[in-house]
Amino acid sequence: MAPDRPQLGPPELATLEQMACDLATSAGRLIVDERPRGLGVAATKSSDTDVVTVMDQRSEAFLRERLEQLRPDDGLLGEEGASHEGSSGITWVVDPIDGTVNYLYEIPAYAVSVAACVGDVRHGGEWETVAGAVYNPITDELFHAHADGGAFLRRGTDVQSLSVSGEKELAKALTGTGFGYEVAKRERQGAVVASLIGQVRDIRRIGSAALDLCSVGAGRLDVYYESGLNPWDQAAGQLIVTEAGGVVAGRGAAPPDKDLVVAGPAALVAALKGILKA
Ligand code: IPD
């Protein structure tokens, strides 16, 4: 059973946000600075194309060790297997490299995602993010937020406040999505995109769900949807969207979870859910 949710005021939330920023930035630098020449695939997961590199593992080990030192009472859930329950009511949900295939191919759209969450992160819809950061080490862009504090993008010393797109019409909406790694699931997702592409401005498949969500927060994508996301893909980015004035919804009245995540300004999310019959 997950411990009770802690009472967190603005100072505690700001501390968690700063920690998420520091961790995401340090791990992001690690995956660039210590990337070995001729990086290959260390392991595969759900299918032969669902890859793990040695740097996913090293980044997660780095995040785990730092969190053990800094926040020994907190829990941890990481994409590459880190998992333990804490006693504080806060669980860190980390994606050590989101966009691993881009990383493998040196396409500059990957990020480290670090989120402090409350609730039961092992059950979809039973948790929420209270602070988080997503760092793309190639563009040096750090997206960050804490609950009720607004969403921000820091690049070097420049910090800007984020707002979702003002677009109202789905027909003009640049729409992001992504695909899972299992063949049958990808084929179903491809069919959905085929039916949607005539009804939106265009489709983007960036290859990192965390960056897709941050792109929605920054108004670089009007709206985004995907099925099959895990908490580590979603946790930090969804707070960036909501703190930038958007909504993140699931199927029907359900919260956003593995079944479906739809993110963007409320009107576009409602219109897209209508088309997706969700
Ligand atoms: C993947 C990426 C991708 C999304 C997949 C995720 P990974 O995460 O976020 O954009 O479409 O659903 O699994 O494997 O690169 O950490």
Side-chain angles (χ1 to χ4, degrees), residues 236-261:
Q238 76 178 24
L239 183 66
I240 306 290
V241 174
T242 54
E243 288 299 322
V247 299
V248 184
R251 189 173 301 279
D257 61 10
K258 203 168 174 98
D259 183 26
L260 184 67
V261 171

Side-chain angles (χ1 to χ4, degrees), residues 28-274:
R29 295 209 176 104
L30 173 91
I31 63 176
V32 171
D33 294 348
E34 301 199 19
R35 177 186 174 116
R37 270 175 206 276
L39 176 80
V41 172
T44 59
K45 295 186 286 187
S46 61
S47 77
D48 285 350
T49 55
D50 185 1
V51 297
V52 183
T53 73
V54 68
M55 295 310 291
D56 294 78
Q57 295 164 335
R58 283 194 56 198
S59 175
E60 184 156 301
F62 167 81
L63 292 167
R64 191 186 61 230
E65 282 159 25
R66 291 294 291 142
L67 282 163
E68 274 166 10
Q69 290 162 0
L70 296 167
R71 307 269 315 178
D73 297 334
D74 293 354
L76 175 62
L77 179 68
E79 177 172 21
E80 308 313 337
S83 176
H84 74 261
E85 274 189 32
S87 56
S88 66
I90 293 170
T91 303
W92 294 85
V93 176
V94 303
D95 194 333
I97 304 180
D98 187 55
T100 299
V101 175
N102 284 344
Y103 179 70
L104 187 66
Y105 281 76
E106 297 189 70
I107 295 170
Y110 51 84
V112 177
S113 175
V114 177
C117 300
V118 295
D120 187 351
V121 298
R122 283 154 193 88
H123 291 102
E126 293 183 19
W127 53 272
E128 59 196 69
T129 307
V130 293
V134 175
Y135 182 61
N136 177 338
I138 301 299
T139 58
D140 190 29
E141 290 181 309
L142 177 68
F143 300 87
H144 58 98
H146 72 249
D148 299 324
F152 300 90
L153 167 56
R154 187 162 87 208
R155 225 177 329 213
T157 54
D158 180 57
V159 181
Q160 69 186 79
S161 156
L162 298 180
S163 301
V164 294
S165 152
E167 183 54 62
K168 301 268 182 302
E169 286 178 62
L170 192 60
K172 292 191 187 147
L174 188 60
T175 302
T177 193
F179 308 110
Y181 292 109
E182 292 150 65
V183 172
K185 188 187 283 177
R186 296 170 75 80
E187 287 176 348
R188 283 196 303 277
Q189 290 171 320
V192 172
V193 170
S195 70
L196 189 63
I197 197 162
Q199 305 182 67
V200 295
R201 180 187 293 275
D202 206 346
I203 297 285
R204 292 289 180 271
R205 195 291 194 249
I206 292 171
S208 158
L211 290 177
D212 288 322
L213 288 162
C214 292
S215 298
V216 170
R220 295 175 182 174
L221 285 176
D222 294 306
V223 68
Y224 162 78
Y225 75 97
E226 186 163 348
S227 293
L229 292 187
N230 287 296
W232 44 81
D233 302 311
Q234 176 191 341
Q238 76 178 24
L239 183 66
I240 306 290
V241 174
T242 54
E243 288 299 322
V247 299
V248 184
R251 189 173 301 279
D257 61 10
K258 203 168 174 98
D259 183 26
L260 184 67
V261 171
V262 187
L268 292 183
V269 167
L272 184 55
K273 281 181 56 155

